Amino acid sequence: MTYILGIESSCDDTSAAVIKNSRVLSNIIANQSVHSSYGGVVPELASRAHQQNIIPVVDVALKEAKISKNQLDAIAFTRGPGLLGSLLVGTSFTKSFALALDIPIIEVDHLKAHILAHFLNDDDGSKSPSFPFLCLTVSGGHTQIVKVSSPSDMHIIGSTIDDAAGEAFDKAAKIMGLPYPGGPEIDKLAKIGDAQAYKFPKPRIGELDYSFSGLKTSFLYFLRDNLKKDDNFIEKNKADLAASIQRTIIEILLDKLKKAVAQTGITEVAIAGGVSANSGLRNKITETAEEEGWKVFIPGFKFTTDNAAMIAIAGYFKYLDKDFASQNVTPYARSSF
Ligand code: KG4
Ligand code: ZN
């Protein structure tokens, strides 16, 4: 039996999790409410909050897992990508805790971890994909189609050239005056709106890449023009606006995913990252899978947004390969894969 402690601190969630092989024993997440009044994550405030949260979060994760720190076999941590100040807190904590316990440390790429969350065993009856599979990773900072051949062999075959899908949700929400992060707010409103009420142009961009910045601009201009005619345009139509922008983002995501399946011939398809919590995307990909004959994998809600259980499982795969990091390791802001 292998016990891994996972540490995640790449953005505004401080999280610690304990897994026993692939089984989740605890997964504790401290969200940082401090950012909501700024309409986005403030890096300096994020790293300070990580410093305050990290020890209590690890303490609770160990208690909930009902193990002592001396039973840990290794600590896996997010090395990047993310906010450097935030990553530094998790990295430094990991190094010193592991040094004190005399156990190895394992560096994990946050984006690979989102994908490997599909291999967590949480008694929810969900099955894991088999290799190779395609994963649409949709988070606040990234949008990628990844060909996953093994836990260590992943290739990005398409990605956004500007905004990420999560940013598209968050920016559309901000334009509508909704609180940050806007993705979940749009999701809620979209459930009671008419998704066909408004049409927005889709980007024309080659191959398997994405672009969302044009959509944001046309949404902004559309609202500006209508607000000139009616001050209450957003308030009166917010559910229809949310449903229409959500439908457009989902269509853009799935158009390229279909193209990726056609190009690679791989029909096992997974989604990962914060935006994979979106109910519209979850429904639409399930529907598309039925139409197209794909086998689709959708993560449990708690493993969609940032969490340390996904870092721990990514670390577990590396632990099996004895792929450990040195005490000299430093975080990276941008993904290296
Ligand atoms: O993966 P994640 O937690 O953090 C990053 O690694 O970026 O993703 C956060 C993103 C945010 O943009 C947030 O608005 C979006 O995921 N998100 C959603 C939903 N839940 C979170 N977007 C749409 N619908 C949701 N239900
Ligand atoms: Zn993430």
Side-chain angles (χ1 to χ4, degrees):
M1 283 298 156
T2 305
Y3 290 98
I4 309 263
L5 171 67
I7 303 285
E8 156 63 26
S9 72
S10 65
C11 192
D12 59 341
D13 295 309
T14 319
S15 180
V18 178
I19 61 170
K20 180 181 180 183
N21 292 355
S22 62
R23 199 185 162 78
V24 184
L25 301 184
S26 64
N27 186 29
I28 309 299
I29 304 169
N31 304 115
Q32 302 180 359
S33 54
V34 62
H35 307 287
S36 59
S37 51
Y38 295 92
V41 177
V42 185
E44 183 54 32
L45 295 180
S47 42
R48 269 190 246 166
H50 283 304
Q51 283 180 339
Q52 283 167 357
N53 294 343
I54 192 132
I55 291 174
V57 162
V58 169
D59 199 37
V60 177
L62 287 168
K63 283 200 178 108
E64 202 171 284
K66 298 192 176 59
I67 66 157
S68 100
K69 58 184 186 301
N70 298 315
Q71 286 172 271
L72 292 172
D73 293 289
I75 308 178
F77 66 100
T78 308
R79 184 176 173 201
L83 302 168
L84 275 180
S86 294
L87 290 163
L88 259 175
V89 179
T91 308
S92 315
F93 172 83
T94 301
K95 286 184 193 178
S96 45
F97 198 31
L99 206 58
L101 296 172
D102 195 23
I103 54 176
I105 60 172
I106 303 165
E107 60 158 282
V108 168
D109 183 277
H110 181 90
L111 294 167
K112 288 185 177 172
H114 268 302
I115 297 172
L116 294 172
H118 281 282
F119 295 89
L120 285 165
N121 172 352
D122 193 40
D123 285 344
D124 59 357
S126 61
K127 294 209 168 60
S128 304
S130 46
F131 300 108
F133 64 94
L134 294 180
C135 187
L136 174 68
T137 309
V138 271
S139 72
H142 297 84
T143 296
Q144 303 174 331
I145 301 175
V146 183
K147 182 183 168 192
V148 189
S149 303
S150 79
S152 58
D153 184 5
M154 300 191 191
H155 288 283
I156 299 165
I157 57 172
S159 64
T160 182
I161 59 158
D162 43 55
D163 290 349
E167 263 174 301
F169 272 104
D170 294 342
K171 287 179 179 174
K174 195 169 182 176
I175 297 169
M176 287 173 63
L178 300 172
Y180 179 87
E185 301 289 326
I186 299 252
D187 194 352
K188 254 186 263 163
L189 282 170
K191 286 185 181 139
I192 50 165
D194 173 7
Q196 301 297 335
Y198 306 107
K199 302 270 182 292
F200 302 106
K202 292 197 209 155
R204 289 171 197 276
I205 172 161
E207 295 304 315
L208 301 176
D209 289 334
Y210 289 108
S211 166
F212 288 102
S213 70
L215 178 62
K216 173 196 64 191
T217 312
S218 61
F219 190 60
L220 179 72
Y221 288 166
F222 175 78
L223 291 184
R224 192 193 57 185
D225 293 347
N226 280 286
L227 283 169
K228 276 186 200 153
K229 293 178 226 154
D230 177 0
D231 283 348
N232 291 321
F233 180 76
I234 296 179
E235 195 46 45
K236 281 186 199 156
N237 302 294
K238 64 182 179 191
D240 289 351
L241 286 165
S244 300
I245 195 80
Q246 176 171 296
R247 174 190 53 78
T248 312
I249 295 171
I250 294 169
E251 281 177 6
I252 295 171
L253 289 172
L254 288 182
D255 282 353
K256 290 296 172 87
L257 193 56
K258 280 187 199 164
K259 206 169 163 185
V261 169
Q263 272 186 22
T264 60
I266 298 172
T267 52
E268 294 220 6
V269 179
I271 52 173
V275 180
S276 68
N278 183 266
S279 52
L281 176 60
R282 293 166 87 95
N283 293 339
K284 191 72 192 170
I285 199 168
T286 307
E287 219 179 281
T288 309
E290 274 165 26
E291 285 163 15
E292 305 276 333
W294 303 350
K295 211 168 161 188
V296 78
F297 298 87
I298 297 174
F301 278 110
K302 57 185 171 225
F303 301 131
T304 56
T305 46
D306 291 348
N307 67 87
M310 69 183 197
I311 305 302
I313 186 76
Y316 175 60
F317 284 117
K318 286 187 149 191
Y319 182 89
L320 296 177
D321 289 340
K322 297 201 169 17
D323 185 357
F324 303 130
S326 101
Q327 277 280 337
N328 296 327
V329 65
T330 51
Y332 53 80
R334 294 185 172 278
S335 195
S336 56
F337 102 101

